[in-house]
Amino acid sequence: MKDIREDIAWAQINNDVLKSLENPRKLYWVILFIAIAVVGVAVGCEIYQYNMGLGVGNFDNPHMWGLYIASFIFWIGMSHSGTLLSAILHIMHADWRKPIYRFAEAMTTFSLMTAGLFVAVHLGRIWQIYFALPYPNMRQLWPNFQSPLLWDAMAIFTYLSSSILFLYVGMIPDLAICRDNMHPGWRKKLYTALALGWEGTDRQWRNFRVTYLTIACFLIPLAVSVHSIVASDFAMSQQPGWHITSFPPYFVAGALYSGCAAIITLFIILRYVFKFEEYMTMAILKKISRLTFAIAMVWTYLVWVEYATAWFGNAHDHHLMIEKATGTYAPFWWMMNFCASVVPFVLFFKRFQTNIPVLFAVSLLLNLGMWLERWMIVAPTFADGYYPWTWDHNQWPSLVQWGIVFGSFGWFTMLFMIFCKIFPSVSMYEVKEMVYHRKLATKKLQATANLAAAGKGAH
Amino acid sequence: MGKRHLLALFTDFDEAEAVVTELRGVTIKGFNADKDMIVKSPIEHPEVEEFLGYKPVRVQWFTLVGAVGMGFLMFWLIAASQGNFFAQMKGGKPIVPFPPDFVLTYELFILGGVYITVLGFLICAGLPARRSPLYSAKVSEDQIGILVQADEAISGTLKSIFTKHQALEIQEEAGK
C-alpha cells in the first residue's frame, strides 16, 4: 500500500486542493452550522454566568475551577501533537506527514486559542481579566516569578505565537499558488498580501528550507516545556494526587496522545468533506493509527507509574487513589481508564488500522478518555484534600458549565472549518515534493534492478 | 545598452539543469550567470544548489542572535527588576530566584529565536518582494522557470540556448 500515487500530476494536485477551497461536500456546511449553533449555546451560558455569578456553574469552595481547568488542560494538550509531530516528522524526514501536517498545525493554533478562552471564562469578574496577566500592577504587586502560573502564561504565549509563525511560514509557497490561480476578488487580495511576493526562486527556497527546519527545532523543546509547565501547575502544589514527580512526562505523553487521536478524527472528516481521498490515503491513516497506539502505550505506562506512586505514597495519596476507584467519581475514572488504556488496543489489529468507521469511533473514545483524565486529575483531589472540610465535598457541574465546555468544541470546530475553507489544508508544494522524490526513488530502484539483471545475464 | 529579461519555462527538470549548467559554463559578454540568472521552481529542489553553485544561507545567524540575545536580555531584565523593584517581602528567600528565572529565560530564548529567525528569513529571502519583471503562474504549478537578465544584444544567444534545450515557452520583456 503506497502513501501516495507516484503518477499523480502536479497540476492535478493544485486543482484538487484549490477546489477544496470552493466546493466542499454538503457535510461541511452541516458541521459548520452545528458548530456555530453550539458556540451560540455557549455564549448564552457565558452571558448568564457573567450576569448571575459563578454560583450558577455550581462552583463553590474548594471546587472553584470545575470543568474549565480540565478543559483548559485538554485543549492545551490537544494542541501538542499538531506542531510537535509536524516538527519531529519533518526533522526525521518522514515524508508521509506532508499531506496531513498543515491541518495538524492549524489544529494546534485553534486548540491554543480555545484553551485561552477558559482563562477568561472561569473568571467571576471577566472585565478585570487584565489582572490575570503577569505584569506589575498599581498596587506594586509584582507577578510571582516562582509560580508555574506565570510560566504558563509565558510558555503558552510563546507556543501560540511560534506555532502561528510555523504554520504561516510553511504556508507561504501554497499561498502563492492560491494567488496565481484565484479569480480576482477578496480571496485573491488576501493571498496576494499573505504570499509576500513569493515566486519560488532558488534564493527563496534556500532560505525557506533553513528557516522551516530551525523553527521546527525550536518547537520540539518548546512543546515539551509547555505541557511540562502545565503539569507543574499541579505537581508543584502540595495537594494529594498532584504532587507527583512523573507528572510532566505524563502530561506530555497525554498531550501527544489526545492530539494524535484528534488528528485521526479530523483526517477522516477532511478526507470526506474535501474529497481528499487521493492525498489522505489509507496508508497514511495506518501510520497515524500505529503512532497513536505507540503513544497510547507510553501514556498507559505513565498512568500506571502515577497509580503506583499514589499507592505506595503517603496515606492521603493512597486514600485518594481508593476514592477515585470507588467513590463518587468512580464511573468516570473507570471510563477514563477503559477509553484511554483499553480501547487503543483496537489499533493493534491491522484490519482496524484502515477501517474508517472503527477508527472514527475509536479516536472519539480516546479523546473522551483523555478529557475525562483531565477532569479526574482535578475534581477528586478537591473533594478529598488535606483539610477535613473538603472531604466528601463532591461537585457535579451544572448545565451552564457543560454548555460552555461543549461550546469550546463548537468554537474549535468552527475556527478549524473556516480555516480549511480559506486556506489549503493539504500542503500542495510538499505533496509535489513527496511525489517527485518517491518517483525518483522508484526510478533508482528500477535502474539498480535492471543493472543487477543485466549483470546476471552477462554471467 | 538596455537590459532585457527572458523567462524560459521547462517541464523537465533535467533540461533546466542542462540549461543552467550551460549558462554557467559559457562566456557571454554582458551576462554573468551568478548575478543575472534566477531559477524558479514549484518545489524545493536541493539539486538546484548543486548545479547553481554554493550560495550561503545566513538565516541561522539571525537565529543565534535572536535566541541568545533575547534569552540574556530577558534574564537580565527579570532578575534586575526583581532585585530592584519587587516590593513584596522575601522572607529569607533569594532576591533573584534562579530556577524559576531560568524557566522564563528558556521560554524567551525560544521566543526570540523563532521571531528573529522569521525576520531573518524575510530579510535573506528578500520578502516581501515585488513581482519580478517576468512571472508565470506555471512556475507555481509544475514548470521550472529560468529568468535571465542580459544586454539586448545577447538576448538572441540566450534564447537559442533555451530553444536548444526544449524550452516550452520563452517570455521576453525589455528591462531597465
Side-chain angles (χ1 to χ4, degrees):
Chain A
M1 202 190 298
K2 288 192 171 180
D3 289 340
I4 199 157
R5 265 199 310 126
E6 286 162 16
D7 58 344
I8 192 163
W10 289 10
Q12 194 198 328
I13 296 171
N14 278 12
N15 282 340
D16 290 346
V17 178
L18 291 173
K19 232 187 264 172
S20 77
L21 305 178
E22 288 172 350
N23 300 314
R25 285 202 163 102
K26 276 180 190 160
L27 184 64
Y28 171 86
W29 300 107
V30 175
I31 294 173
L32 190 64
F33 175 77
I34 293 172
I36 292 171
V38 175
V39 171
V41 171
V43 170
C45 291
E46 174 58 25
I47 291 170
Y48 182 63
Q49 182 181 276
Y50 173 84
N51 282 319
M52 305 301 289
L54 284 174
V56 295
N58 262 3
F59 290 102
D60 64 355
N61 206 354
H63 291 279
M64 286 175 292
W65 293 347
L67 298 181
Y68 299 159
I69 189 74
S71 302
F72 170 80
I73 307 166
F74 174 79
W75 285 112
I76 292 281
M78 180 87 97
S79 73
H80 270 54
S81 66
T83 303
L84 193 54
L85 285 183
S86 170
I88 290 174
L89 295 176
H90 177 67
I91 287 170
M92 290 170 73
H93 298 288
D95 71 350
W96 58 267
R97 76 182 253 291
K98 289 178 176 173
I100 59 164
Y101 85 89
R102 174 73 49 72
F103 82 78
E105 286 177 10
M107 188 184 89
T108 291
T109 306
F110 299 127
S111 302
L112 282 168
M113 287 179 179
T114 312
L117 282 184
F118 281 99
V119 177
V121 163
H122 95 280
L123 292 178
R125 300 173 193 174
I126 202 169
W127 60 93
Q128 291 188 341
I129 189 170
Y130 56 88
F131 272 111
L133 299 173
Y135 71 101
N137 61 42
M138 70 278 201
R139 287 176 295 168
Q140 286 294 300
L141 275 175
W142 277 64
N144 182 2
F145 293 92
Q146 298 174 35
S147 163
L149 292 174
L150 171 62
W151 310 346
D152 239 358
M154 193 55 78
I156 291 169
F157 172 73
T158 304
Y159 191 44
L160 177 63
S161 56
S162 302
S163 298
I164 291 173
L165 285 175
F166 191 50
L167 174 67
Y168 174 60
V169 169
M171 208 161 49
I172 291 175
D174 276 352
L175 291 169
I177 296 175
C178 296
R179 173 200 64 198
D180 292 345
N181 292 281
M182 282 292 160
H183 304 295
W186 68 270
R187 276 180 184 266
K188 183 136 184 136
K189 281 181 193 161
L190 177 73
Y191 299 137
T192 305
L194 292 177
L196 302 174
W198 177 273
E199 290 189 357
T201 64
D202 50 288
R203 177 187 174 195
Q204 289 170 348
W205 280 119
R206 217 171 32 244
N207 287 288
F208 175 84
R209 188 184 63 226
V210 175
T211 304
Y212 198 70
L213 182 67
T214 308
I215 303 178
C217 291
F218 271 122
L219 280 176
I220 295 169
L222 175 62
V224 171
S225 79
V226 172
H227 225 55
S228 297
I229 288 174
V230 173
S232 302
D233 290 344
F234 297 93
M236 288 180 72
S237 76
Q238 299 295 318
Q239 293 275 17
W242 290 358
H243 192 60
I244 295 171
T245 318
S246 65
F247 254 33
Y250 170 53
F251 269 53
V252 172
L256 281 174
Y257 182 17
S258 59
C260 275
I263 286 178
I264 295 179
T265 313
L266 296 176
F267 181 105
I268 292 168
I269 293 173
L270 291 188
R271 181 185 145 90
Y272 177 75
V273 166
F274 293 117
K275 305 166 197 168
F276 281 148
E277 289 86 355
E278 199 77 75
Y279 310 100
M280 298 186 180
T281 59
M282 285 301 171
I284 294 175
L285 189 59
K286 194 174 187 175
K287 284 178 177 154
I288 309 170
S289 305
R290 288 175 173 181
L291 188 64
T292 308
F293 177 71
I295 296 172
M297 292 302 104
V298 173
W299 181 86
T300 303
Y301 166 74
L302 285 166
V303 85
W304 279 98
V305 168
E306 190 211 335
Y307 294 163
T309 310
W311 190 259
F312 296 107
N314 65 34
H316 287 283
D317 284 332
H318 188 99
H319 173 71
L320 180 66
M321 174 85 199
I322 293 170
E323 270 301 305
K324 278 183 181 177
T326 58
T328 316
Y329 294 106
F332 304 107
W333 188 80
W334 285 106
M335 196 193 292
M336 177 268 280
N337 279 299
F338 175 76
C339 288
S341 289
V342 180
V343 171
F345 277 94
V346 172
L347 302 174
F348 185 74
F349 299 99
K350 266 187 184 173
R351 64 183 156 152
F352 294 131
Q353 286 170 357
T354 50
N355 186 320
I356 285 185
V358 170
L359 277 180
F360 190 69
V362 165
S363 65
L364 291 178
L365 281 176
L366 297 186
N367 260 324
L368 173 67
M370 292 313 293
W371 185 84
L372 286 170
E373 181 235 0
R374 274 61 181 248
W375 189 29
M376 288 304 102
I377 288 173
V378 179
T381 289
F382 279 137
D384 231 322
Y386 284 122
Y387 296 112
W389 61 267
T390 65
W391 296 348
D392 297 327
H393 203 103
N394 299 313
Q395 185 231 26
W396 180 250
S398 73
L399 281 177
V400 173
Q401 265 198 71
W402 286 112
I404 291 174
V405 168
F406 281 120
S408 71
F409 287 87
W411 171 254
F412 169 81
T413 310
M414 183 184 79
L415 292 179
F416 183 79
M417 292 315 257
I418 291 173
F419 172 88
C420 291
K421 184 80 172 57
I422 296 177
F423 298 105
S425 46
V426 168
S427 170
M428 291 177 268
Y429 72 96
E430 292 219 59
V431 170
K432 288 175 193 169
E433 279 177 17
M434 188 178 172
V435 170
Y436 176 73
H437 290 130
R438 297 216 168 189
K439 211 186 264 180
L440 275 187
T442 311
K443 261 186 194 172
K444 271 184 192 169
L445 267 176
Q446 270 174 357
T448 317
N450 289 345
L451 258 174
K456 263 186 187 174
H459 285 292
Chain B
M1 193 177 285
K3 289 271 185 186
R4 189 168 278 274
H5 289 102
L6 293 174
L7 175 72
L9 297 175
F10 298 87
T11 187
D12 190 346
F13 188 74
D14 295 333
E15 287 298 343
E17 179 181 348
V19 171
V20 174
T21 312
E22 186 167 343
L23 287 176
R24 276 172 59 83
V26 76
T27 314
I28 307 172
K29 202 181 169 192
F31 175 74
N32 179 350
D34 286 338
K35 283 185 191 168
D36 299 331
M37 179 171 61
I38 293 170
V39 176
K40 299 181 181 185
S41 59
I43 64 168
E44 183 207 340
H45 278 290
E47 303 92 326
V48 168
E49 276 178 43
E50 286 169 23
F51 60 77
L52 208 54
Y54 173 73
K55 288 183 180 172
V57 176
R58 298 206 168 80
V59 174
Q60 58 270 44
W61 291 106
F62 284 86
T63 309
L64 183 69
V65 171
V68 175
M70 184 76 143
F72 267 112
L73 179 71
M74 293 316 289
F75 179 79
W76 180 76
L77 279 176
I78 291 168
S81 58
Q82 282 173 89
N84 289 293
F85 310 119
F86 199 3
Q88 206 169 320
M89 296 297 283
K90 307 294 188 304
K93 288 179 184 168
I95 291 170
V96 178
F98 281 103
D101 283 7
F102 280 142
V103 175
L104 292 170
T105 305
Y106 176 80
E107 299 300 332
L108 291 161
F109 165 85
I110 293 176
L111 188 72
V114 172
Y115 277 30
I116 305 297
T117 300
V118 174
L119 179 70
F121 164 64
L122 296 177
I123 292 169
C124 294
L127 296 172
R130 280 189 198 158
R131 275 281 169 96
S132 52
L134 287 171
Y135 180 73
S136 169
K138 285 281 176 191
V139 169
S140 66
E141 192 174 282
D142 57 358
Q143 292 177 11
I144 293 167
I146 297 177
L147 177 70
V148 291
Q149 175 190 264
D151 291 339
E152 272 180 31
I154 57 163
S155 66
T157 316
L158 295 171
K159 240 194 258 181
S160 66
I161 293 175
F162 291 147
T163 316
K164 189 173 83 184
H165 289 284
Q166 296 163 353
L168 285 179
E169 185 188 333
I170 300 172
Q171 295 179 12
E172 198 172 352
E173 191 185 83
K176 289 170 190 171

